Amino acid sequence: MNTDNLKPVERDFTVDGVRLHAELSGSGEPLILMHGWGCDHTTVRSIAATAALTHRVYNIDFPGFGESPEPCEVWGVGRYTELVEAFARQEGLESPVLVGHSFGGRVAILMASRTPVSKVVLVDAAGIKPRRSPLYYYRVYSFKAAKALARLVFGRERAEKRVEAMRARRGSSDYAQASPRMRAIMSRVVNRDLTDRLPLIKAPTLLIWGENDTATPVADARKMARLIPDAGLVSFADCGHYSFLDNPGRFRAVLSSFLNS
């Protein structure tokens, strides 16, 4: 084995006028690795290291994360997916393996449902719209009412600043730390339900999950496994949303077995 190929190399690509940063490693069949929201390619380096033993890994930074600049518009899951598809075409990556953690799983699901890929690995992936409690809808409509009232009292510009401050206080840490544009993108992507795309994935699919995941519950994984025609689920006890970090040894073994099968 040529160990030089295992050493990651940083590189910038220009895809449809968008600068896309990636870390490349390994050799062999192409594999596109996609991180979760609020993360970047460094978060999933341990996955890249395992995959690079058998594949040419393209560990990308989504626009707005890591070394890739923010999009110039408010993107949705579809636009992020179009960029990855264009990147694969530009670089001649035919039928790549897709590996996506959390938000990266959303992109992997949509891309695999409409683009030829050889395999899919979904790691604690997002994509199933969560069931909402009555309290959730009470908070949503209370917020919308407060937003409308603020515009009447303060005017549009001052109201928007107050609304953003309110969202930052009430929202997740990912939301609070994001720029205004990335907050708008986050609001758009989290509401995209990809359940209808799951039956369209024809490639063999492995789902790896932490049983204590509260961000994307293991119930979501079971639903995905039922709806994807050729799917299998492996769940790890005492692991959360970052199962690949919580149980790295078992994760490496499961991923390697699937990639080599």
Side-chain angles (χ1 to χ4, degrees), residues 5-8 23-27 31-34 41-60 99 244 251-252 255 259:
N5 287 334
L6 300 180
K7 297 177 181 178
E23 189 175 73
L24 282 56
S25 59
S27 61
L31 182 149
I32 301 175
L33 176 57
M34 296 171 282
H41 73 275
T42 64
T43 311
V44 291
R45 267 182 176 155
S46 61
I47 301 178
T50 299
L53 296 173
T54 53
H55 289 71
R56 178 61 166 170
V57 178
Y58 298 81
N59 184 5
I60 67 173
V99 181
F244 59 98
F251 185 93
R252 283 195 300 270
L255 178 62
L259 293 179

Side-chain angles (χ1 to χ4, degrees), residues 135-198:
L135 178 60
Y136 168 83
Y137 288 105
Y138 170 78
R139 288 174 175 170
V140 168
Y141 289 112
S142 295
F143 180 81
K144 288 183 177 180
K147 182 178 178 180
L149 181 60
R151 285 178 174 174
L152 289 174
V153 174
F154 301 107
R156 186 178 185 87
E157 185 175 344
R158 290 179 61 197
E160 288 300 325
K161 292 180 180 179
R162 288 175 175 266
V163 166
E164 280 300 317
M166 190 185 307
R167 280 176 174 158
R169 289 195 302 270
R170 294 185 178 183
S172 66
S173 59
D174 284 341
Y175 186 91
Q177 294 169 12
S179 69
R181 180 175 294 142
M182 295 307 294
R183 289 176 185 173
I185 291 174
M186 183 179 181
S187 297
R188 175 174 291 186
V189 301
V190 298
N191 290 315
R192 177 71 187 272
D193 186 9
L194 297 170
T195 302
D196 63 327
R197 310 303 301 183
L198 298 172

Side-chain angles (χ1 to χ4, degrees), residues 211-231:
E211 293 181 3
N212 295 340
D213 190 340
T214 57
T216 53
V218 72
D220 291 359
R222 297 190 183 104
K223 185 174 184 178
M224 290 180 184
R226 288 196 306 270
L227 293 175
I228 298 173
D230 184 7

